[in-house]
Amino acid sequence: MKTFDYARADTVEAATTGGGRFIAGGTNLLDLMKLQVETPEKLIDISRLDLTHIEEREDGGLTIGALVPNSDLAADPRVIAKYEVLSRALLAGASGQLRNKATTGGNLLQRTRCYYFYDTAANCNKRAPGSGCDAIGGFNRIMAVLGTSDSCIATHPGDMPVAMRALDAVIVTQRPDGDKRRLSIHDFYRLPGDTPQIETVLEPGELITHVELPAPPKGKQLYRKVRDRASYAFALVSVAAVIDMQDGTIAGASLAFGGLGPMPWRDAAVEAALVGKAPSTEVFEAAAAALLRDARGFGSNDFKIPLARRTLIACLRDLTA
């Protein structure tokens, strides 16, 4: 690990004008620093900021401070009762010790677990722009099959952000000039394109302060994660789903996917294939076809395409039974 300067911020304003990288739980950043994948010259410790509360909103939703630990968010009675998909997604991620340290804001920003991103001897456009992508043509079992580019096929590793996307979360930030922004999670992440090193729309010095959840959705909620082992493993495919059944018909659907793309993945065509239809194998197959119409495997990860199809159909059967 290279040397760096350290400062502790007492206010959001001090943090955003401190001229360094933010650190709270550090569950991802510190690993990257140890491997010299990330080499910040200065760290701004934001762990003492007053962003640790979960508050109810007038519309029935919740405002979640960016420093709320994943364990606290998963165990909050309001989250368990109204946002089961989020609680289950949080509990599916990492170990209990890591969930105690990892924060809501940091979880939204965790970086890929691509083998080549972590190996500083490998070519990786995300780590070293212009160097190439060794994952293409290499061992790419955990890589993305949707939203990839010729520059990068890395996948987003998160569980919580997948549920947040299914719930239409809004991310609240503050810029160094004091202006605040409210960003839909649908607009927060960027596809890799030619600049895979730019993963979100955040500007330098911009700090996530809160996440807003709208009023609880109608219907049954589910989070299913398919992985290599029962715990402490990243998703090969995950599904965050909310399905509202009315009089034997799918009246509402919200579905997001992990393990498939460079961001928490959501496709309106999947939901359109379901809404207004009576549940059936044919309808579920059509939704899976909509999800995977542009899917592309790269050899070792070809299996993800049929796995995603089977996982989605199984989830839909459970939610509409």
Side-chain angles (χ1 to χ4, degrees):
M1 183 183 291
K2 292 186 176 181
T3 59
F4 56 88
D5 293 329
Y6 170 87
R8 179 180 295 169
D10 296 321
T11 65
V12 171
E13 291 72 21
T16 57
T17 57
R21 288 286 305 278
F22 304 129
I23 186 168
T27 56
N28 187 199
L29 179 59
L30 289 178
D31 285 343
L32 295 172
M33 290 175 64
K34 290 174 184 177
L35 296 171
Q36 296 192 24
V37 175
E38 299 253 16
T39 56
E41 295 183 359
K42 182 178 182 180
L43 292 182
I44 306 294
D45 185 347
I46 61 171
S47 62
R48 306 302 197 276
L49 300 183
D50 188 24
L51 300 173
T52 58
H53 306 291
I54 304 172
E55 299 175 344
E56 295 186 35
R57 297 164 49 83
E58 291 184 1
D59 63 0
L62 294 176
T63 296
I64 304 162
L67 297 180
V68 173
N70 287 178
S71 293
D72 290 1
L73 185 58
D76 188 279
R78 295 162 294 187
V79 174
I80 295 172
K82 300 178 180 180
Y83 305 96
E84 179 185 1
V85 63
L86 176 57
S87 180
R88 288 184 176 275
L90 285 160
L91 292 174
S95 65
Q97 295 91 333
L98 286 172
R99 290 197 298 269
N100 288 339
K101 291 293 292 181
T103 63
T104 300
N107 201 302
L108 291 167
L109 297 173
Q110 64 177 311
R111 308 200 71 188
T112 184
R113 264 58 180 187
C114 171
Y115 321 112
Y116 302 100
F117 175 71
Y118 272 77
D119 181 1
T120 55
N123 293 317
C124 172
N125 288 318
K126 188 180 286 291
R127 175 174 34 78
S131 63
C133 176
D134 281 350
I136 299 175
F139 184 62
N140 45 51
R141 184 171 183 274
I142 66 170
M143 305 307 174
V145 295
L146 294 170
T148 59
S149 73
D150 292 338
S151 297
C152 183
I153 62 171
T155 188
H156 188 276
D159 292 290
M160 184 201 80
V162 178
M164 290 283 196
R165 184 149 197 197
L167 293 169
D168 295 313
V170 172
I171 298 166
V172 183
T173 71
Q174 182 162 323
R175 292 165 159 162
D177 62 7
D179 286 348
K180 299 181 186 298
R181 286 207 288 173
R182 297 178 73 256
L183 302 164
S184 166
I185 194 167
H186 304 290
D187 301 322
F188 182 72
Y189 294 101
R190 288 172 45 123
L191 289 171
D194 296 328
T195 55
Q197 75 278 12
I198 304 175
E199 298 170 352
T200 72
V201 298
L202 289 179
E203 300 171 356
E206 189 171 8
L207 175 67
I208 297 174
T209 59
H210 299 86
V211 176
E212 296 175 352
L213 295 181
K218 295 180 180 179
K220 292 183 179 180
Q221 302 180 29
L222 173 150
Y223 185 76
R224 182 162 297 168
K225 181 177 182 178
V226 182
R227 47 188 163 179
D228 284 324
R229 55 186 184 273
S231 65
Y232 200 48
F234 298 101
L236 298 172
V237 175
S238 65
V239 181
V242 182
I243 299 292
D244 181 28
M245 293 290 295
Q246 300 290 337
D247 300 323
T249 300
I250 301 172
S254 178
L255 296 125
F257 303 87
L260 298 178
M263 63 174 70
W265 197 260
R266 188 169 173 183
D267 188 336
V270 179
E271 295 159 16
L274 296 168
V275 174
K277 310 287 178 55
S280 69
T281 298
E282 292 74 16
V283 169
F284 299 160
E285 291 276 7
L291 171 66
L292 299 167
R293 64 190 183 276
D294 297 322
R296 176 190 174 194
F298 295 88
S300 304
N301 69 346
D302 291 350
F303 75 97
K304 280 193 174 189
I305 297 173
L307 178 62
R309 173 186 166 277
R310 294 194 301 270
T311 304
L312 172 57
I313 291 173
C315 290
L316 293 172
R317 284 176 177 158
D318 289 348
L319 287 167
T320 59

